[in-house]
Amino acid sequence: MAMAMSDSGASRLRRQLESGSFEARLYVKQLSQQSDGDRDLQEHRQRIQALAEETAQNLKRNVYQNYRQFIETAREISYLESEMYQLSHLLTEQKSSLESIPLTLLPAAAAAGAAAAAGGEEGGGGAGCRDHRRGQAGLFTTPGGASRDGAGPGEEGKQRTLTTLLEKVEGCRHLLETPGQYLVYNGDLVEYEADHMAQLQRVHGFLMNDCLLVATWLPQRRGMYRYNALYPLDGLAVVNVKDNPPMKDMFKLLMFPESRIFQAENAKIKREWLEVLEETKRALSEKRRREQEEAAAPRGPPQVTAKANPFEDEEDDEPAVPEVEEEKVDLSMEWIQELPEDLDVCIAQRDFEGAVDLLDKLNNYLEDKPSPPPVKELRAKVDERVRQLTKVLMFELSPGRSLRGGPKATRRAVSQLIRLGQCTKACELFLRNRAAAVHTAIRQLRIEGATLLYIHKLCHVFFTSLLETAREFETDFAGTDSGCYSAFVVWARSAMGMFVDAFSKQVFDSKESLSTAAECVKVAKEHCQQLGDIGLDLTFIVHALLVKDIQGALHSYKEIIIEATKHRNSEEMWRRMNLMTPEALGKLKEEMKNCGVSNFEQYTGDNCWVNLSYTVVAFTKQTMGFLEEALKLYFPELHMVLLESLMEIILVAVQHVDYSLRCEQDPEKKAFIRQNASFLYETVLPVVEKRFEEGVGKPAKQLQDLRNASRLIRVNPESTTSVV
């Protein structure tokens, strides 16, 4: 009962929407007033959506049915027109026969000479009429002198004529490779646009015994043409276009999924085109029908021929090799006969799976069977549809198509290309499509004010796309040639270059601080490590692409530290630091602890005093900060760059202490300088060595040598020099 009520409600809703007085705005207004809440609106929306889907299905079904009926109607019209033309010819012949009958009934004795003269005139007229028809039939023959149905030397003449004419057409050499093909008719035509009947171009038509070639004029080369299109006759329908002045002497060619309209020079040439097209199509159909019957008909046992010479010795005779009969292939089944048209329908309706299923079915049927001429012809038709299907599938994967939907949106076209044996092409187009998608996603990212925020978004977009692409690639190309996986690795390398370009432009070209650059590189490394879940490690590629930028950043920040240290050294007074407040002293202790200096308490005094110079304390904090940020950027290729930068920074402080010890004469200041030097050599440098070894994984002999060479030795207090 509930189902009956729902059906009645759906039918009532359909009638309401189909009524001529329906207004959407008024309907929505009434619906919102009558509904009790959101649930009613949701249910009503679902009903309308279900009705829309049902309507869409009905429309699709009707379109398909109308299309099939249109094809059948076009065929019937073509058959009817051919029969009308045949009937017209029969009536013309009957008329000429009836006109000649009275001449035979005249008395032989009455004016025999006049009768003879009249008979000569009538005979001459009849001969002239026959000669005129033969002249028309000559359009169906070749200059070789043989008619269309001729054999022997005439066939060679037809082939020579075809070769001579097609040498004037650029781009159609492959037509000459078809055996048994010859020219039936040719002539100039004018093509018109089908919708608005606007003149498009001048063309020349070449009708062969199995196809129609259309070539366009080359104005700059008189008498030469360029290949435009080739249509098999079995897929071609010819329709007469009624005269509608000034549009007259036209006929239409229907070949799924397009149609073309041509205009002949006059009514006579138009009639000849229509007649010869129908007759050639009928002859081709009859020829193929006979070939299929011969292929399906069983042959009798091979006859044994007697020996030509009965006196030859039997022992000298070699055993006769029995002639192997060529196995016939049954192509009379309905699904095989309709296969080319069914493929056209599937391609037009974008039913790619159905088209490939039909091809697989045909290949399975013909897998172990020979290839007589009927099978080869069927293969030629099917191969043409395969090329069309491949072209459509390649267009589906082209970067010009919509890139929304992610990698899964390409699965349908990729899978069908792989089934068609185009695995390499599918791989190339898939990766090209994904490269365009990644490039578009990166370009659409808004450049935020905060660099780290932009890098987070950039890494999320890029590595998510890369991960999805890798998983989809593994799904689509599982079990295919391993060369596709090599192509994917090359593509990932190229995509990573695109990512690094955007990354470097935002991080390094904008001269961000070393700490910001280190955080950004750290984020990129973390995202890159996620690819290890699918067995894809691109960390080394990131390192190789970023090494120059990171070297430049380290060098730039090293120069900043050296310049700042030299500036402080120039203003050095060698005085103790007074931090004024316990809070400031506590903050400094925390900072030194974070730097790794655990014994900083022994260098502090009473009342917020620190028994170290401001220059040495600032140098310690800046050097340890540089080391921490550089270790975030570290990878093996940067080992020597980082080590040399640290050596240069430390040498600036060491040389300043050495110079101050040699030049200072005040004993109290000299003792204070020694205390700062002791802190530098015995506390700071060991901390730098330890942290470098922890971050790199191996000790730095150069830092150890520097510390050992810079160790203080006791000198004469009265001396103005010191050994460092």
Side-chain angles (χ1 to χ4, degrees):
M1 183 175 181
M3 184 178 298
M5 292 178 63
S6 62
D7 293 341
S8 62
S11 60
R12 186 169 60 254
L13 177 61
R14 184 184 294 106
R15 287 195 302 271
Q16 187 175 2
L17 295 176
E18 292 175 351
S19 64
S21 60
F22 175 76
E23 292 186 8
R25 182 175 299 178
L26 181 60
Y27 175 75
V28 172
K29 182 178 180 181
Q30 293 177 354
L31 183 62
S32 60
Q33 291 175 353
Q34 296 173 2
S35 62
D36 295 336
D38 181 66
R39 183 174 181 181
D40 289 346
L41 293 177
Q42 290 290 342
E43 292 178 354
H44 202 81
R45 179 177 177 275
Q46 292 176 359
R47 288 198 296 269
I48 294 179
Q49 187 173 1
L51 185 60
E53 293 176 355
E54 181 183 354
T55 304
Q57 291 294 329
N58 292 334
L59 181 61
K60 182 178 179 181
R61 192 179 302 110
N62 291 335
V63 168
Y64 176 74
Q65 292 177 354
N66 292 338
Y67 173 75
R68 299 287 294 186
Q69 293 176 0
F70 171 77
I71 294 296
E72 296 297 331
T73 304
R75 289 179 179 173
E76 293 298 330
I77 292 175
S78 176
Y79 297 153
L80 182 60
E81 284 189 343
S82 64
E83 292 175 358
M84 292 295 294
Y85 283 122
Q86 292 178 2
L87 181 60
S88 175
H89 286 182
L90 291 175
L91 291 175
T92 303
E93 292 177 358
Q94 291 291 334
K95 179 181 178 181
S96 61
S97 300
L98 291 174
E99 289 176 350
S100 63
I101 289 176
L103 298 176
T104 61
L105 300 178
L106 291 175
E121 291 176 359
E122 292 294 333
C129 182
R130 286 191 298 273
D131 289 342
H132 173 68
R133 288 196 299 272
R134 189 177 300 111
Q136 290 185 350
L139 295 171
F140 298 85
T141 64
T142 64
S147 64
R148 284 178 300 146
D149 297 331
E155 295 295 335
E156 298 179 0
K158 294 175 182 179
Q159 185 64 34
R160 286 196 299 270
T161 303
L162 176 63
T163 304
T164 302
L165 286 176
L166 294 184
E167 283 178 352
K168 299 181 180 181
V169 183
E170 296 180 355
C172 66
R173 275 292 180 186
H174 60 282
L175 295 177
L176 303 179
E177 300 175 358
T178 304
Q181 191 177 60
Y182 58 87
L183 182 68
V184 177
Y185 190 75
N186 72 94
D188 294 333
L189 298 167
V190 179
E191 183 176 5
Y192 280 77
E193 201 266 331
D195 295 331
H196 306 289
M197 299 303 292
Q199 183 173 334
L200 293 179
Q201 57 186 344
R202 294 179 61 191
V203 300
H204 195 90
F206 295 90
L207 177 62
M208 268 70 75
N209 58 324
D210 60 348
C211 61
L212 174 65
L213 171 68
V214 179
T216 56
W217 282 78
L218 292 176
Q220 67 274 18
R221 300 175 62 185
R222 187 171 183 179
M224 295 295 293
Y225 311 95
R226 178 180 288 113
Y227 171 80
N228 179 264
L230 181 68
Y231 304 110
L233 289 184
D234 51 4
L236 191 69
V238 187
V239 179
N240 182 25
V241 179
K242 292 184 179 180
D243 292 347
N244 185 16
M247 302 302 173
K248 60 180 182 178
D249 304 329
M250 292 183 174
F251 60 92
K252 180 183 291 188
L253 298 181
L254 302 177
M255 47 281 174
F256 182 80
E258 59 177 323
S259 62
R260 300 177 72 170
I261 294 181
F262 299 100
Q263 183 183 47
E265 184 176 355
N266 51 50
K268 177 183 177 182
I269 295 179
K270 170 190 173 180
R271 184 170 61 252
E272 291 173 355
W273 269 107
L274 294 174
E275 291 175 357
V276 73
L277 278 168
E278 289 300 331
E279 187 170 348
T280 307
K281 286 182 60 178
R282 191 161 49 251
L284 178 63
S285 177
E286 181 65 22
K287 174 186 174 183
R288 291 183 174 170
R289 186 184 62 79
R290 289 197 303 267
E291 290 176 349
Q292 292 179 0
E293 291 178 354
E294 293 174 359
R299 289 190 176 183
Q303 296 180 356
V304 180
T305 58
K307 289 193 298 183
N309 188 356
F311 300 101
E312 292 180 354
D313 295 335
E314 294 184 0
E315 57 270 11
D316 294 337
D317 294 342
E318 296 183 358
V321 179
E323 182 180 356
V324 179
E325 288 191 22
E326 188 180 56
E327 183 181 352
K328 302 304 178 181
V329 182
D330 184 12
L331 300 179
S332 61
M333 289 177 284
E334 183 179 358
W335 70 272
I336 294 182
Q337 295 293 327
E338 296 181 356
L339 182 65
E341 295 179 0
D342 290 341
L343 288 175
D344 289 336
V345 172
C346 289
I347 295 173
Q349 294 182 344
R350 302 173 61 82
D351 183 12
F352 306 136
E353 295 82 357
V356 179
D357 290 340
L358 288 174
L359 293 172
D360 289 343
K361 184 178 180 181
L362 178 65
N363 291 332
N364 293 333
Y365 178 74
L366 299 176
E367 183 176 4
D368 299 327
K369 293 180 173 58
S371 299
V375 174
K376 292 181 179 179
E377 292 180 6
L378 178 62
R379 289 280 192 187
K381 295 180 188 177
V382 173
D383 289 344
E384 179 65 27
R385 272 72 176 184
V386 170
R387 285 191 289 270
Q388 295 178 9
L389 178 59
T390 304
K391 186 176 180 180
V392 173
L393 291 173
M394 291 170 59
F395 177 72
E396 289 294 313
L397 293 174
S398 62
R401 297 283 289 172
S402 176
L403 300 175
R404 297 180 181 179
K408 292 183 180 179
T410 63
R411 181 180 300 176
R412 185 183 181 208
V414 168
S415 61
Q416 302 313 315
L417 277 176
I418 293 174
R419 292 178 63 189
L420 289 174
Q422 301 285 338
C423 182
T424 303
K425 197 66 178 178
C427 177
E428 176 186 351
L429 293 173
F430 172 78
L431 295 178
R432 191 183 301 171
N433 179 280
R434 296 312 305 154
V438 171
H439 180 67
T440 302
I442 291 177
R443 288 186 58 187
Q444 290 178 349
L445 271 179
R446 291 176 53 190
I447 299 179
E448 304 287 349
T451 301
L452 188 57
L453 178 61
Y454 171 80
I455 294 301
H456 272 288
K457 291 183 178 180
L458 175 64
C459 291
H460 175 74
V461 169
F462 174 76
F463 285 101
T464 300
S465 299
L466 193 62
L467 189 62
E468 292 177 351
T469 301
R471 288 173 175 166
E472 185 64 25
F473 186 90
E474 190 173 7
T475 301
D476 292 345
F477 295 92
T480 58
D481 185 12
S482 58
C484 294
Y485 289 91
S486 301
F488 176 77
V489 174
V490 174
W491 174 85
R493 169 69 171 78
S494 175
M496 189 62 71
M498 189 190 315
F499 163 76
V500 170
D501 287 342
F503 182 92
S504 299
K505 188 179 297 183
Q506 189 66 18
V507 175
F508 296 106
D509 294 353
S510 59
K511 305 299 181 183
E512 291 289 341
S513 65
L514 190 64
S515 59
T516 302
E519 288 296 328
C520 293
V521 173
K522 181 181 177 183
V523 170
K525 287 183 178 179
E526 291 174 352
H527 279 82
C528 198
Q529 289 172 358
Q530 294 177 1
L531 298 177
D533 297 340
I534 60 172
L536 184 64
D537 185 7
L538 300 178
T539 307
F540 69 98
I541 295 179
V542 175
H543 290 170
L545 295 175
L546 287 178
V547 63
K548 290 185 178 180
D549 291 326
I550 296 178
Q551 286 179 356
L554 291 175
H555 178 76
S556 176
Y557 202 67
K558 175 201 69 176
E559 295 297 331
I560 292 175
I561 294 177
I562 291 175
E563 289 298 323
T565 303
K566 288 182 178 180
H567 179 71
R568 289 192 298 268
N569 291 343
S570 65
E571 299 178 353
E572 179 61 74
M573 302 299 293
W574 292 112
R575 296 175 181 175
R576 293 190 303 164
M577 292 178 61
N578 184 4
L579 298 179
M580 307 300 292
T581 63
E583 291 78 8
L585 180 60
K587 182 179 179 182
L588 179 60
K589 290 180 181 180
E590 187 66 25
E591 290 176 351
M592 299 305 290
K593 183 178 180 181
N594 293 334
C595 290
V597 181
S598 58
N599 60 343
F600 188 71
E601 290 285 347
Q602 68 183 34
Y603 296 98
T604 60
D606 299 333
N607 298 327
C608 303
W609 285 92
V610 178
N611 299 323
L612 292 173
S613 169
Y614 168 76
T615 301
V616 174
V617 173
F619 169 79
T620 302
K621 292 193 296 183
Q622 206 165 17
T623 302
M624 295 305 299
F626 171 78
L627 179 58
E628 290 295 333
E629 301 302 336
L631 289 176
K632 294 179 183 178
L633 297 169
Y634 177 83
F635 45 88
E637 290 82 358
L638 296 173
H639 182 82
M640 292 307 300
V641 177
L642 176 56
L643 186 57
E644 290 172 359
S645 299
L646 273 176
M647 295 282 290
E648 291 184 32
I649 293 172
I650 293 173
L651 280 174
V652 173
V654 169
Q655 291 171 357
H656 174 63
V657 172
D658 175 53
Y659 176 79
S660 299
L661 282 173
R662 286 187 285 106
C663 297
E664 185 60 53
Q665 301 297 325
D666 187 355
E668 292 184 3
K669 284 191 176 182
K670 202 164 190 175
F672 182 68
I673 293 173
R674 287 179 179 276
Q675 187 176 4
N676 281 272
S678 175
F679 173 76
L680 181 65
Y681 300 141
E682 298 177 4
T683 303
V684 177
L685 292 185
V687 170
V688 171
E689 292 177 28
K690 180 181 178 182
R691 185 68 188 96
F692 186 88
E693 183 176 353
E694 291 175 353
V696 174
K698 58 182 178 179
K701 186 175 182 300
Q702 293 87 338
L703 291 177
Q704 295 176 0
D705 295 342
L706 176 63
R707 181 166 59 89
N708 294 331
S710 303
R711 191 182 303 276
L712 287 174
I713 63 172
R714 189 177 301 276
V715 295
N716 185 357
E718 296 180 358
S719 174
T720 59
T721 62
S722 64
V723 181
V724 179

